[in-house]
Amino acid sequence: MLSTFNAIEAEQQKNHKYVEEMPASAINKEASKKDKLKVLNDYFFRNKDIYISKHNRFAAYPKHTHMFLEINYMLKGNASQVVDGNKVKLVQGDLLLLDVGAEHAIAALGEDDLLINILFRNSNINIELLKDLRRSRSVLYDFLLKSSMGENSSKQDYLIFRTAHNHKISEILDEIIEEYFRKREFSDSVIKAYLQILITNLVRDYHIADVKKNNKSQKLVIAMLAEIDKNYATISLDKVAGKYNYNKNYLSNIFKREVGKPFSKVILQKKMTQAHTLITSTTLPISRIIEAVGITNKSYFYKKYYEFYKEKPLAERQFNNNVF
């Protein structure tokens, strides 16, 4: 069904020129004038929360932006895009998540290319949330992510997931696509449930390319961050200095220069995020959790936990129990 030509594709195949597929009501005219490019609004969600379509082939799609989140899923073949000025190539199994405001243009697709657009309006999901969910489990991930983006890239409007190896993600996407196009009873509810599962699995699966470790200092800091992730409950600067045979003060200065935070603060960050995970996802007593993350002073733990999360541990556990 998806491979069959529609009327627009038949026209675009003849002259390879883009045929406008959006009604005037789908374009935010004021925003388009201001940004000098097409801005798509929430026209697609008149009676549903999720809109899925096949991207029309045989003509380049002009640069545009949108007021909702969009997933481009490469079901078959490949596609070239320019996203926020960066060249991006998707191959079969790849998924591109575009945040609100991301700008992209798509090169013409061939007959054997199938790109699926999944649009959804959920103000509680955005790129920063996804990165925060993933980085909260790893201080090393946080450092690598910032390094790969560069010092001047404080905001990133898109993420690429190379998911061809992950059969579970492709199965979830297949279910979403089938539910939508077969228009089964309660399909909207089923799709929304699948979408939450998809987002969770994408966060779990997401990997970033290692930054270029061209200098000795960065290699050393990455090793130290890996040590913190692995041994946060018992690690100390003295132990790391002894393991790598460096002067403690030298290591402290190198670490702060590369990471932007003192070694002790990063350890505390790791301990707090691990404690938060245990508090919100298990029924372990708070005293056991404090011990598990390597803190001996309860008063200190409660004080620091409140500084990090602006909430007391028991209050957070009560909130999660009420929600779930």
Side-chain angles (χ1 to χ4, degrees):
M1 184 192 74
L2 292 171
S3 296
T4 303
F5 290 11
N6 58 36
I8 291 178
E9 287 181 318
E11 181 66 24
Q12 291 186 164
Q13 189 186 37
K14 289 179 182 178
N15 52 31
H16 298 286
K17 291 183 179 180
Y18 170 70
V19 176
E20 180 57 70
E21 59 186 29
M22 299 297 172
S25 54
I27 300 173
N28 187 315
K29 294 180 180 178
E30 291 186 8
S32 296
K33 288 179 181 178
K34 180 181 178 182
D35 297 332
K36 296 183 180 179
L37 75 159
K38 185 164 64 174
V39 179
L40 304 182
N41 59 27
D42 60 359
Y43 160 87
F44 308 93
F45 310 110
R46 289 173 296 175
N47 56 2
K48 57 183 66 178
D49 294 313
I50 297 164
Y51 178 86
I52 301 177
S53 66
K54 176 187 73 172
H55 183 79
N56 292 323
R57 295 165 288 181
F58 308 117
Y61 196 97
K63 187 167 72 170
H64 64 285
T65 185
H66 31 72
M67 302 170 70
F68 45 80
L69 276 83
E70 177 179 353
I71 288 175
N72 288 172
Y73 174 53
M74 205 70 229
L75 180 63
K76 182 182 177 185
N78 60 79
S80 296
Q81 299 196 30
V82 175
V83 187
D84 287 344
N86 301 309
K87 292 182 179 180
V88 170
K89 184 171 183 179
L90 302 180
V91 299
Q92 185 169 323
D94 287 350
L95 186 151
L96 171 66
L97 176 59
L98 298 153
D99 207 347
V100 175
E103 297 178 3
H104 69 131
I106 306 172
L109 301 183
E111 184 174 346
D112 296 326
D113 303 323
L114 289 177
L115 180 66
I116 306 300
N117 304 315
I118 304 174
L119 319 179
F120 56 103
R121 55 174 178 189
N122 187 336
S123 59
N124 295 320
I125 300 174
N126 55 43
I127 297 294
E128 290 303 316
L129 172 64
L130 299 187
K131 291 190 295 189
D132 286 344
L133 285 173
R134 186 65 182 86
R135 71 158 65 107
S136 69
R137 304 300 300 273
S138 169
V139 290
L140 174 57
Y141 176 88
D142 189 20
F143 173 74
L144 292 175
L145 180 61
K146 288 177 180 177
S147 298
S148 68
M149 288 172 60
E151 294 180 2
N152 298 322
S153 301
S154 59
K155 189 177 190 305
Q156 185 183 19
D157 286 332
Y158 67 95
L159 290 175
I160 302 172
F161 300 86
R162 307 294 184 184
T163 62
H165 66 284
N166 192 320
H167 298 297
K168 187 169 186 178
I169 288 177
S170 63
E171 288 171 3
I172 295 168
L173 282 158
D174 286 345
E175 291 287 349
I176 290 174
I177 293 167
E178 184 173 345
E179 281 289 338
Y180 188 87
F181 286 107
R182 290 193 180 278
K183 303 185 186 302
R184 295 168 174 167
E185 189 176 14
F186 309 121
S187 61
D188 198 42
S189 297
V190 173
I191 290 170
K192 282 193 284 187
Y194 271 126
L195 188 61
Q196 293 297 325
I197 297 171
L198 173 65
I199 294 297
T200 304
N201 276 274
L202 288 176
V203 171
R204 179 187 290 168
D205 184 73
Y206 184 59
H207 300 282
I208 60 172
D210 281 350
V211 296
K212 294 180 180 178
K213 300 181 283 291
N214 291 325
N215 61 73
K216 189 176 180 180
S217 296
Q218 194 172 64
K219 288 181 180 179
L220 179 60
V221 166
I222 287 174
M224 292 171 70
L225 287 164
E227 289 283 344
I228 293 174
D229 269 337
K230 185 178 179 181
N231 303 308
Y232 61 90
T234 58
I235 198 170
S236 69
L237 191 57
D238 285 323
K239 289 181 179 180
V240 175
K243 179 175 181 176
Y244 292 101
N245 197 26
Y246 277 96
N247 176 273
K248 184 175 78 169
N249 292 331
Y250 171 79
L251 272 188
S252 177
N253 292 333
I254 291 293
F255 188 92
K256 186 173 182 180
R257 186 186 71 199
E258 292 287 342
V259 179
K261 299 176 184 177
F263 186 79
S264 59
K265 189 170 183 178
V266 173
I267 294 175
L268 180 62
Q269 174 189 332
K270 178 66 179 180
K271 289 182 176 183
M272 290 298 108
T273 55
Q274 289 300 112
H276 179 72
T277 298
L278 292 172
I279 288 166
T280 56
S281 63
T282 75
T283 58
L284 282 173
I286 303 298
S287 58
R288 289 276 302 279
I289 292 173
I290 295 173
E291 182 182 343
V293 300
I295 295 178
T296 56
N297 187 313
K298 286 186 178 181
S299 297
Y300 174 79
F301 172 80
Y302 278 94
K303 177 183 177 182
K304 292 301 178 182
Y305 191 91
Y306 189 84
E307 288 178 6
F308 269 76
Y309 296 104
K310 307 305 178 186
E311 190 63 87
K312 295 179 180 179
L314 287 175
E316 283 216 307
R317 175 167 283 178
Q318 183 63 42
F319 172 78
N320 278 273
N321 289 337
N322 290 338
V323 172
F324 300 106

